[in-house]
Amino acid sequence: MSSAQPLDTVRLSVDVMGGDHGPSVTLPACRSFLDRHPKAELILVGTESALASARAWPRTTCVVATEVVLMDDPVEVALRKKRDSSLRVAIAQVKSASAEDGSPQPAAAHACVSAGNTGALMAVARYVLKTLDGIDRPAIATVMPTQTDGFTTVLDLGANVDCSAEHLLQFALMGSALVTATQGKAQPTVGLLNIGEEAIKGSEVIKEAAERLRAAHAAGQLNFHGNVEGNDIYKGTTDVVVCDGFVGNVLLKTSEGLAAMLSQFIKQEFTRNLYSKLAALIALPVLQHFKRRVDHRRYNGAALLGLRGLVFKSHGSADAYAFEHALRRAHDAARNQLLQRLEAGIAVPSAG
Amino acid sequence: MSSAQPLDTVRLSVDVMGGDHGPSVTLPACRSFLDRHPKAELILVGTESALASARAWPRTTCVVATEVVLMDDPVEVALRKKRDSSLRVAIAQVKSASAEDGSPQPAAAHACVSAGNTGALMAVARYVLKTLDGIDRPAIATVMPTQTDGFTTVLDLGANVDCSAEHLLQFALMGSALVTATQGKAQPTVGLLNIGEEAIKGSEVIKEAAERLRAAHAAGQLNFHGNVEGNDIYKGTTDVVVCDGFVGNVLLKTSEGLAAMLSQFIKQEFTRNLYSKLAALIALPVLQHFKRRVDHRRYNGAALLGLRGLVFKSHGSADAYAFEHALRRAHDAARNQLLQRLEAGIAVPSAG
């Protein structure tokens, strides 16, 4: 693992137009982010009119893009038609160029944040930035809360449906680098998502992935804990949980669905009759504390890992509070040199 | 679909020794079940001493088995070594035999219930009962709660890791028969679990399964709704959700983990300080109502589908209340001729 010094000044590029709410959410979030991060700088990318109110902001550069990728635009439209979209121009800010003499030129920004649609964001990021050496497929990683008020980083969340053992190993290396950069853990533990003592213990791919992870552990490339099950994510058994994108997407959506149902049930119970409404009033501080604790907005900001540049994806429906959390996450990752860590982590020849 | 008349008398065989707590849980559950089901009959299978207290019960036959499959026994031990285990003898009660003249003899019991370990139960059930014609692999199905206080039946939950499109079609047919038998719905809707608008929409197997399900729908064999996502399970978008056993197991365990975490958080918040403890006292009736509503014990009793006999699996850690729910589920399924429905549903030549 790289032991790079934290950056003094982090510059983020922001797709101001992305998400269900566009500038009405992203701009207030950016403004609040600037206030809380006195050294950070922003490159705001959006239409002329959207950027008008931000022109006089401190530490802010405005870059005009003439097009907007809509949330329901097919990937092909984002990729081939809208070549001057805010999404694409924001991503281009993290692409490092070559000077005329061939020497590498630093990118304009250290990380990009967009709430645009995931398919378009991944496709354009992959096209504009390309993947890192040693990475076949980029992955999407997010954090999920744990019983001990910590985080479990889970990847992949839907970028890759059919994964090989080698891909799962790459995800493990990238997830470890992410946790080191964002949580400051030197040797994050990695779990391989599998099923338990039930009839058959995992597919051939999972068995082979476990072997590769054990070999990588023996070679000092990562800290492999072993197999974990679905409930271990919320127990916080390991810092990183690795799975293919189909499984990751299902577990994320299932969790969202269960949380929504339970929160609806709590609301219904506390408004059922006069007594329960009274109880709700009295229990309000307790319920609010509970709500803050499980507030999914605090986990907003998924990392697109494996590209030659840092890209973070905010939930499309994020409000300003949630979007600011995505900005923070991108900021912390860039500040702690996530890109260099990814390059270093993967440069180690892979075992198996 | 078969329109068989409900059975008048249902006889269940019960593995009294199974589960983490054995007879101390299963016997009280059986006793309470008998009281609530005045026409039902039980065949209790266990050791001589375990059955002593039940010998004088009404509508009850005691069958002695000399061995017990432990919760951590390997499948091989259950299958090859302990040939007189309560688990195996209980399963054998639902096996129909042939008389000397070759005519089929009805099985001793209509359905079997065990809280024994899943791997052993599935392996022994498969060995003793064999699979139905047209079924390659048995599946495990359970119900999960929905926002609208209904149920979604999900299968497979871990019996089959790598599934083909044909297997997923078979699961859909079996899940539909289960919902018809246990919930009385004539045309249960079926959803195919997939991932959403993210980068890539499902694997090749899922795409092919969707085609087969559409063809089966067109042929009137089932009621295919289309693709669903993880959150649709708790929304109750469809009556049945079909997925491979790896995905199903992960989503079940992840849900269990999230529910455990949230319930722990609620407890912690309501015991944080004097005020919150007071609030808890006042909110107690509301919290208890919420707790009852999400009580997972009410969903206990997974069906092993695709065998020549009905077998239901209780959670190993079930208490008497939960185990009785598994008995009820088995009772309702047997009463409404689930086995005949499965045979009829699958006898229809499969499309594709």
Side-chain angles (χ1 to χ4, degrees):
Chain A
M1 297 287 159
S2 154
S3 57
Q5 286 299 305
L7 291 182
D8 197 46
T9 300
V10 172
R11 199 177 305 117
L12 300 180
S13 68
V14 181
D15 168 16
V16 166
M17 314 307 290
D20 298 343
H21 312 295
S24 70
V25 153
T26 56
L27 287 179
C30 286
R31 182 69 233 203
S32 169
F33 171 82
L34 281 171
D35 292 344
R36 284 181 223 255
H37 295 79
K39 285 183 168 181
E41 301 178 0
L42 293 180
I43 300 176
L44 302 181
V45 184
T47 59
E48 186 86 47
S49 62
L51 294 175
S53 64
R55 296 228 171 253
W57 287 5
R59 294 168 276 129
T60 300
T61 311
C62 290
V63 173
V64 170
T66 56
E67 290 170 305
V68 174
V69 174
L70 305 177
M71 290 307 271
D72 53 358
D73 271 344
V75 169
E76 295 68 35
V77 169
L79 206 53
R80 302 210 175 83
K81 296 269 166 68
K82 298 185 173 175
R83 287 168 177 266
D84 194 38
S85 71
S86 60
L87 182 144
R88 180 159 177 170
V89 175
I91 290 170
Q93 305 301 312
V94 298
K95 183 179 162 76
S96 43
S98 298
E100 274 179 27
D101 64 359
S103 63
Q105 294 283 93
H110 299 104
C112 166
V113 181
S114 173
N117 91 60
T118 312
L121 189 66
M122 180 55 100
V124 174
R126 210 171 158 164
Y127 176 78
V128 171
L129 301 174
K130 315 298 178 209
T131 52
L132 289 170
D133 288 336
I135 292 298
D136 299 325
R137 303 175 180 191
I140 304 176
T142 197
V143 291
M144 296 174 80
T146 70
Q147 266 183 18
T148 50
D149 291 303
F151 300 108
T152 303
T153 295
V154 183
L155 73 165
D156 174 42
L157 293 174
N160 308 282
V161 166
D162 293 309
C163 291
S164 69
E166 173 63 27
H167 296 141
L168 293 169
L169 172 62
Q170 291 173 9
F171 298 168
L173 292 165
M174 295 196 290
S176 297
L178 179 64
V179 170
T180 302
T182 52
Q183 294 172 247
K185 291 195 183 183
Q187 305 257 301
T189 51
V190 175
L192 176 65
L193 192 61
N194 201 344
I195 66 176
E197 61 279 77
E198 268 68 24
I200 304 157
K201 286 190 188 167
S203 68
E204 288 309 311
V205 170
I206 298 290
K207 283 177 201 162
E208 198 195 323
E211 272 173 43
R212 289 193 183 220
L213 285 163
R214 271 191 290 272
H217 179 93
Q221 293 168 28
L222 50 72
N223 186 2
F224 182 48
H225 165 90
N227 287 342
V228 294
E229 295 187 56
N231 49 343
D232 286 304
I233 294 170
Y234 293 104
K235 276 190 196 160
T237 306
T238 57
D239 296 310
V240 178
V241 169
V242 172
C243 57
D244 76 41
F246 191 94
V247 171
N249 192 278
V250 166
L251 79 83
L252 185 69
K253 294 270 170 69
T254 303
S255 293
E256 286 174 2
L258 177 55
M261 182 183 81
L262 294 177
S263 111
Q264 182 197 298
F265 282 0
I266 291 177
K267 254 182 226 153
Q268 285 172 352
E269 293 305 331
F270 274 106
T271 52
R272 184 176 287 276
N273 54 39
L274 198 63
Y275 181 87
S276 63
K277 283 178 191 166
L278 206 77
L281 266 182
I282 290 160
L284 197 63
V286 184
L287 292 172
Q288 281 177 333
H289 203 274
F290 170 72
K291 206 176 157 187
R292 269 199 300 280
R293 199 164 165 192
V294 295
D295 189 346
H296 60 82
R297 298 178 301 170
R298 294 193 296 124
Y299 315 116
N300 191 35
L304 274 54
L305 297 174
L307 301 161
R308 294 177 188 271
L310 298 182
V311 179
F312 283 75
K313 147 85 187 148
S314 160
H315 210 291
S317 65
D319 62 10
Y321 179 79
F323 194 79
E324 191 182 339
H325 270 277
L327 293 172
R328 278 196 210 182
R329 196 164 293 278
H331 172 270
D332 293 351
R335 182 166 182 277
N336 293 304
Q337 310 263 25
L338 174 57
L339 192 60
Q340 287 71 9
R341 286 176 195 278
L342 285 167
E343 284 166 347
I346 292 148
V348 183
S350 86
Chain B
M1 298 285 158
S2 153
S3 57
Q5 286 300 304
L7 291 182
D8 197 47
T9 300
V10 172
R11 198 177 307 116
L12 300 180
S13 68
V14 182
D15 168 15
V16 165
M17 314 307 291
D20 298 344
H21 312 295
S24 70
V25 153
T26 56
L27 287 179
C30 286
R31 184 67 232 205
S32 170
F33 171 82
L34 282 171
D35 292 345
R36 284 180 223 254
H37 295 79
K39 286 183 168 181
E41 301 178 2
L42 294 180
I43 299 175
L44 302 181
V45 184
T47 58
E48 186 87 48
S49 62
L51 294 176
S53 65
R55 296 230 171 247
W57 288 5
R59 294 168 274 128
T60 301
T61 311
C62 289
V63 173
V64 170
T66 56
E67 290 171 304
V68 175
V69 174
L70 304 178
M71 291 308 272
D72 53 359
D73 269 345
V75 169
E76 295 68 34
V77 170
L79 205 54
R80 300 210 177 83
K81 297 271 166 70
K82 298 185 173 175
R83 288 171 177 263
D84 194 37
S85 72
S86 60
L87 183 144
R88 181 159 175 171
V89 175
I91 291 171
Q93 305 301 312
V94 299
K95 182 178 164 74
S96 43
S98 299
E100 274 179 27
D101 62 358
S103 63
Q105 294 284 93
H110 299 105
C112 166
V113 180
S114 173
N117 92 60
T118 312
L121 188 66
M122 179 56 99
V124 174
R126 208 171 160 166
Y127 176 77
V128 171
L129 301 174
K130 315 299 178 209
T131 51
L132 289 171
D133 288 336
I135 292 297
D136 299 327
R137 302 176 179 191
I140 304 174
T142 197
V143 291
M144 296 174 79
T146 70
Q147 265 183 18
T148 50
D149 291 303
F151 299 108
T152 303
T153 295
V154 183
L155 74 167
D156 175 44
L157 293 175
N160 308 283
V161 166
D162 292 309
C163 290
S164 69
E166 173 63 25
H167 297 141
L168 292 168
L169 171 62
Q170 291 172 9
F171 298 169
L173 292 166
M174 296 195 291
S176 298
L178 179 64
V179 170
T180 302
T182 52
Q183 293 172 246
K185 292 196 183 181
Q187 304 257 302
T189 51
V190 175
L192 176 65
L193 193 62
N194 200 345
I195 65 175
E197 61 278 77
E198 268 68 25
I200 304 158
K201 287 191 187 166
S203 68
E204 288 310 311
V205 170
I206 298 290
K207 282 176 201 160
E208 198 195 322
E211 273 173 42
R212 288 192 182 221
L213 286 164
R214 271 190 291 272
H217 178 92
Q221 293 169 28
L222 49 73
N223 186 2
F224 183 49
H225 166 91
N227 287 343
V228 294
E229 295 186 56
N231 49 342
D232 286 303
I233 294 170
Y234 293 103
K235 276 189 195 160
T237 307
T238 57
D239 297 310
V240 179
V241 169
V242 171
C243 58
D244 75 41
F246 192 95
V247 171
N249 192 277
V250 166
L251 78 82
L252 185 69
K253 294 272 172 68
T254 304
S255 293
E256 286 175 3
L258 176 55
M261 182 184 81
L262 294 177
S263 112
Q264 182 197 297
F265 282 1
I266 290 177
K267 254 182 228 154
Q268 284 174 352
E269 293 305 330
F270 274 105
T271 53
R272 182 176 287 277
N273 54 39
L274 199 62
Y275 181 87
S276 62
K277 282 177 191 167
L278 206 76
L281 266 182
I282 290 160
L284 195 64
V286 184
L287 292 172
Q288 280 177 333
H289 203 275
F290 169 73
K291 206 176 157 188
R292 269 199 301 278
R293 197 164 166 190
V294 296
D295 189 346
H296 60 83
R297 296 178 302 170
R298 294 196 296 124
Y299 315 117
N300 191 35
L304 273 54
L305 297 174
L307 301 161
R308 295 177 188 271
L310 299 182
V311 179
F312 282 76
K313 149 82 187 150
S314 160
H315 210 290
S317 65
D319 61 10
Y321 179 80
F323 194 78
E324 191 183 340
H325 271 277
L327 293 173
R328 279 196 210 182
R329 195 163 295 278
H331 173 270
D332 293 351
R335 182 168 181 278
N336 294 304
Q337 310 262 24
L338 174 57
L339 192 60
Q340 288 71 10
R341 287 176 194 277
L342 286 167
E343 283 166 346
I346 292 147
V348 183
S350 86

